Amino acid sequence: MSKAKVATVWLDGCSGCHMSVLDMDETLLEVVKRADIVYGPLVDAQEFPEGVDLTLVEGAVSNQDDLKLIQKIRGRTKLLVALGDCAVTGNVPSMRNGIPVKALLERGYVEGSDVNHRPPTDGVPALLRNALPVHEVVRVDLHIPGCPPKADAIAYVVMEVLAGRKPELTGKVKFG
Amino acid sequence: MSRTITIDHVTRIEGHAKIDIHLNDQGKVASTQFHVTQFRGFEKFVEGRPYYEMPAITARICGICPVSHLLASVKACDAIMAVQIPEPAQLLRELLHCAQFVQSHGLSFFHLSAPDLLLGFDSDPKLRNIVGLIEKHPEAARDGIALRKFGQQTIERLAGERIHPSWTVPGGVNKPLSAETRDEILAELPIARSIIRRTLKTFKAMLDDFPAESDAFGNMPSAYAGLVDFDGNLRIYDGILRFKDSEGKPMASVSRALDYSKFIGEAAMPDSYLKAPYFKPMGYPDGAYRVGPLGRLNVAEQCGTPEADVELAEYRQRLGRIVQSSFFYHYARLIEALYGVERMEQLLENPLILDRHVRAEAGVNALEGVGIIEAPRGTLIHHYKVDENGAMKWANLIVATGHNNLAINKSIQQVAERFVDGNQFQEGMVNRVSAVVRAYDPCLSCSTHALGQTPMQMRLYGPDGQMLDEVAT
Ligand code: SF4
């Protein structure tokens, strides 16, 4: 039997959810025995592959790059999981939502610089008006709240999915 | 016809980036551009919030080194309260910071860079990762996992949680250390120490295997910056911010945190969300300097702990007093990890560490405060202004990777000149261009106050501006 294909993605988050994945410690060795990690920050995949069984998404959808990537991922993933509060609710990245993008950029690059005084435009993706939770952009199959979710909860979900069962998260997770 | 390969992301770095490479008429590299592509606007959206929320909010800039932001933030808050925190709290914060250094340096070395170093820059990209390492070098992979676990578990023991804990507070920390916890941490130190010793030994034995990389991975003069104490010892939690020039001559010593802005200017870049700080007296862009492990060891006279100092002496004997090639960030990082473990032992053996006076209480007594620490990747500065009620009016954050922005740009150019040839990418050269970025262990989410995913795109342009090739790694 071929191994399951698992991917992780990092949109507008702090990487804390990915660090919590690594906090599984030795359990990671078990996971890679049963699944191939086909895409994510730790592997050198060129392109998000077709036919992925499970994708864990960290972070909100904040700019054009995030938007294109998450749409591609949805089309190529069987089970899409929103991992952590940023992906589930927008959390800290969405704290900018009440402020016009122009004001954010001006604070950063016009006011906030001693040389050049202008926001970058060349080779950088435009920001979306709001940082959005993943389910507002594409269908999400499972939400794991937490900032970040505990490593145990992530390990439980991954192992259940790999065993072909539906994870039952009641009592195992909380927001924040 | 132009050929297109897409590097959708530069992998094994912490954040989103793209690289453009422009060729001249002879098909040689003319210029390169490094674009950091994420932006989050922390400095703006915190306006109006109570200052004491800042540690919890800014920790969410980075999940790899949240403790750095927590500490820079609580130090800025201490300054707003105008308090000197109790010494035991100071020791405990430094202890927490050392644990983070060990885990973060472990992650950078084992999880992100060891696949290049141990499996080879030209090895199969499908296996060139931590999973490939588990297969080919299981001992090294296990050491990496164990070292990171040691650091993370120590953070959990001290602060209650591994990621985004709320133990450090303005004025100190919110709970003293128990003797049991101290003893648990002490009992695990020898394992961490022996992992680092082993890794240093392996790394030193490989030093001669990478002549082209050590010669061209950002091998250039620049100034350097980092925190030291009065005797010039390496400091990571608190100290004097010292700048040295490319020859090692002191350029400035900033002892009052508020004065940082006299020495550091920030340039907005046309093509990156990451600004470029520079040493103000030298102007932009001449005032480029490097921070992080390489910069710190160049700036410090010694580490100040016995075993790390022996390693530092050997490092300097091999490479010179001022080490110029960014390839040696890896080496410097391992010496600092050893320092971190030794320093933890010193702190844990100080009887004051169990003292119960760990928090000073006060309200708003100053309208402005700055906190400076050394994050694993380099100097981190939080600067806040508040109103009489403690509501945030203004914030400026200068993060480690920002300071290195100009140097990373130059290093990419140098690596591209050496390894990119003709009008098509080869996998090994793409990986080397990515690897020089990796050597800095950049935290691009930190730098743009946005942590993105790791994608890095590279594009190759001909002299007429036509795109010849594109890759996503
Ligand atoms: S949920 Fe929390 S830990 Fe996860 S990415 Fe967002 S801020 Fe970071």
Side-chain angles (χ1 to χ4, degrees):
Chain A
M1 205 188 83
S2 71
K3 288 209 250 173
K5 291 188 190 172
V6 175
T8 69
V9 219
W10 176 352
L11 303 177
D12 188 8
C14 79
S15 84
C17 290
H18 269 84
M19 293 304 115
S20 205
V21 171
L22 291 184
D23 281 343
M24 287 190 225
D25 300 329
E26 297 84 357
T27 309
L28 273 179
L29 301 171
E30 285 305 308
V31 172
V32 303
K33 264 190 219 149
R34 300 205 207 162
D36 283 327
I37 313 295
V38 293
Y39 184 91
L42 291 172
V43 300
D44 283 10
Q46 307 268 327
E47 163 82 11
F48 195 91
E50 300 275 358
V52 174
D53 296 292
L54 168 68
T55 301
L56 305 172
V57 183
E58 170 192 320
V61 180
S62 276
N63 66 33
Q64 294 289 354
D65 282 3
D66 298 341
L67 185 66
K68 277 186 240 150
L69 184 62
I70 195 68
Q71 285 166 339
K72 182 188 283 181
I73 289 170
R74 177 67 271 185
R76 297 179 177 187
T77 299
K78 277 198 208 121
L79 193 83
L80 185 72
V81 177
L83 177 68
D85 289 345
C86 293
V88 173
T89 67
N91 196 27
V92 175
S94 67
M95 286 171 77
R96 73 167 171 86
N97 288 0
I99 305 166
V101 167
K102 189 161 172 282
L104 291 168
L105 292 172
E106 276 173 3
R107 168 64 193 90
Y109 303 100
V110 180
E111 224 186 287
S113 71
D114 304 276
V115 177
N116 293 340
H117 304 289
R118 68 179 185 90
T121 47
D122 171 16
V124 295
L127 296 181
L128 303 181
R129 194 160 159 199
N130 288 326
L132 301 168
V134 177
H135 71 268
E136 287 191 22
V137 182
V138 295
R139 182 171 54 81
V140 170
D141 302 304
L142 185 72
H143 288 92
I144 312 180
C147 181
K150 290 261 184 294
D152 290 351
I154 305 172
Y156 164 75
V157 168
V158 172
M159 290 314 218
E160 285 294 284
V161 171
L162 291 179
R165 286 188 293 266
K166 190 174 181 307
E168 176 48 59
L169 281 170
T170 314
K172 295 195 172 64
V173 289
K174 66 176 182 57
F175 286 92
Chain B
M1 234 186 68
S2 70
R3 303 184 39 141
T4 306
I5 311 170
T6 305
I7 302 185
D8 265 323
H9 40 281
V10 173
T11 48
R12 290 182 279 125
I13 61 162
E14 295 137 3
H16 281 285
K18 295 183 192 173
I19 289 177
D20 287 344
I21 299 172
H22 301 268
L23 299 181
N24 64 16
D25 294 332
Q26 286 79 45
K28 299 279 174 218
V29 172
S31 66
T32 56
Q33 287 173 305
F34 176 57
H35 311 280
V36 174
T37 58
Q38 201 93 3
F39 174 78
R40 289 167 93 189
F42 271 79
E43 284 149 328
K44 183 74 186 166
F45 72 61
V46 297
E47 287 172 9
R49 305 198 73 98
Y51 73 97
Y52 49 77
E53 279 187 359
M54 290 299 281
I57 293 176
T58 58
R60 268 71 182 181
I61 290 172
C62 179
I64 298 166
C65 57
V67 168
S68 308
H69 286 284
L70 284 169
L71 292 178
S73 183
V74 290
K75 283 177 72 179
C77 294
D78 299 341
I80 282 169
M81 291 155 56
V83 292
Q84 178 168 7
I85 70 165
E87 196 180 337
Q90 198 143 331
L91 301 176
L92 287 168
R93 284 182 182 179
E94 186 179 348
L95 180 64
L96 184 74
H97 197 27
C98 288
Q100 174 184 243
F101 252 70
V102 174
Q103 72 82 9
S104 176
H105 279 2
L107 175 83
S108 169
F109 187 82
F110 288 101
H111 298 68
L112 302 177
S113 285
D116 294 328
L117 300 169
L118 296 179
L119 303 171
F121 287 94
D122 297 298
S123 62
D124 180 0
K126 284 209 197 64
L127 291 174
R128 205 174 50 214
N129 54 45
I130 185 79
V131 181
L133 209 61
I134 293 171
E135 277 168 27
K136 293 265 167 59
H137 295 274
E139 7 38 72
R142 271 172 206 284
D143 273 357
I145 290 173
L147 188 63
R148 186 174 172 279
K149 178 178 174 181
F150 162 77
Q152 290 289 81
Q153 210 163 45
T154 304
I155 292 172
E156 188 175 11
R157 289 201 161 109
L158 291 169
E161 266 159 318
R162 287 179 170 208
I163 301 161
H164 304 327
S166 48
W167 180 60
T168 51
V169 289
V173 296
N174 68 17
K175 205 169 126 246
L177 177 66
S178 72
E180 300 81 68
T181 307
R182 177 196 60 188
D183 296 342
E184 280 166 11
I185 303 171
L186 273 172
E188 283 171 355
L189 277 174
I191 300 166
R193 189 195 301 244
S194 55
I195 291 175
I196 301 167
R197 277 184 189 147
R198 253 200 306 279
T199 313
L200 261 165
K201 204 164 153 217
T202 314
F203 185 81
K204 287 189 287 191
M206 300 189 308
L207 268 183
D208 296 334
D209 299 345
F210 303 103
E213 286 78 10
S214 45
D215 191 44
F217 268 36
N219 188 9
M220 66 215 172
S222 77
Y224 303 95
L227 293 177
V228 291
D229 68 10
F230 277 108
D231 301 315
N233 291 302
L234 174 69
R235 280 320 219 195
I236 59 174
Y237 170 69
D238 201 20
I240 304 160
L241 179 60
R242 185 196 267 181
F243 290 86
K244 273 189 175 179
D245 71 10
S246 56
E247 247 109 70
K249 287 198 219 60
M251 302 200 297
S253 289
V254 187
S255 48
R256 210 175 70 112
L258 261 176
D259 290 335
Y260 83 91
S261 59
K262 291 186 191 149
F263 298 93
I264 299 176
E266 288 183 87
M269 309 288 268
D271 52 11
S272 178
Y273 281 128
L274 179 54
K275 288 188 275 190
Y278 59 94
F279 184 64
K280 243 186 194 170
M282 285 169 76
Y284 174 81
D286 295 344
Y289 56 90
R290 280 179 278 185
V291 301
L294 187 90
R296 280 191 290 256
L297 293 190
N298 279 341
V299 161
E301 302 313 318
Q302 61 277 317
C303 292
T305 59
E307 226 180 299
D309 275 334
V310 172
E311 291 292 342
L312 182 62
E314 185 182 338
Y315 167 86
R316 287 176 177 164
Q317 197 199 346
R318 287 170 184 267
L319 306 170
R321 173 60 183 85
I322 297 294
V323 179
Q324 205 176 261
S325 168
S326 290
F327 181 75
F328 298 115
Y329 264 95
H330 299 300
Y331 193 171
R333 198 168 281 130
L334 292 173
I335 296 174
E336 285 194 341
L338 187 57
Y339 164 81
V341 171
E342 287 189 293
R343 184 74 191 137
M344 283 173 82
E345 189 169 25
Q346 290 179 345
L347 290 163
L348 287 164
E349 278 169 357
N350 184 335
L352 256 188
I353 198 106
L354 297 179
D355 194 282
R356 307 195 68 78
H357 294 99
V358 293
R359 184 171 187 176
E361 309 267 358
V364 174
N365 293 303
L367 299 181
E368 190 170 4
V370 175
I372 304 184
I373 64 150
E374 284 297 323
R377 291 152 191 83
T379 314
L380 171 64
I381 303 171
H382 280 217
H383 182 187
Y384 306 157
K385 291 179 191 169
V386 296
D387 68 14
E388 293 286 346
N389 298 317
M392 289 291 299
K393 285 173 67 182
W394 182 90
N396 189 34
L397 312 172
I398 304 183
V399 299
T401 301
H403 303 283
N404 281 336
N405 197 1
L406 291 171
I408 294 176
N409 269 285
K410 281 198 200 173
S411 307
I412 289 171
Q413 167 107 14
Q414 195 179 49
V415 176
E417 280 169 5
R418 172 70 70 99
F419 295 100
V420 176
D421 200 7
N423 56 8
Q424 205 189 330
F425 284 122
Q426 255 123 48
E427 207 285 320
M429 73 200 189
V430 167
N431 188 40
R432 281 181 179 79
V433 177
S434 311
V436 77
V437 179
R438 243 171 254 143
Y440 287 89
D441 189 24
C443 194
L444 303 179
S445 47
C446 274
S447 16
T448 51
H449 319 322
L451 202 42
Q453 72 204 96
T454 37
M456 182 141 113
Q457 254 181 349
M458 267 188 232
R459 282 178 282 184
L460 190 63
Y461 290 96
D464 51 1
Q466 159 212 23
M467 202 202 294
L468 299 173
D469 202 359
E470 188 177 9
V471 244
T473 162

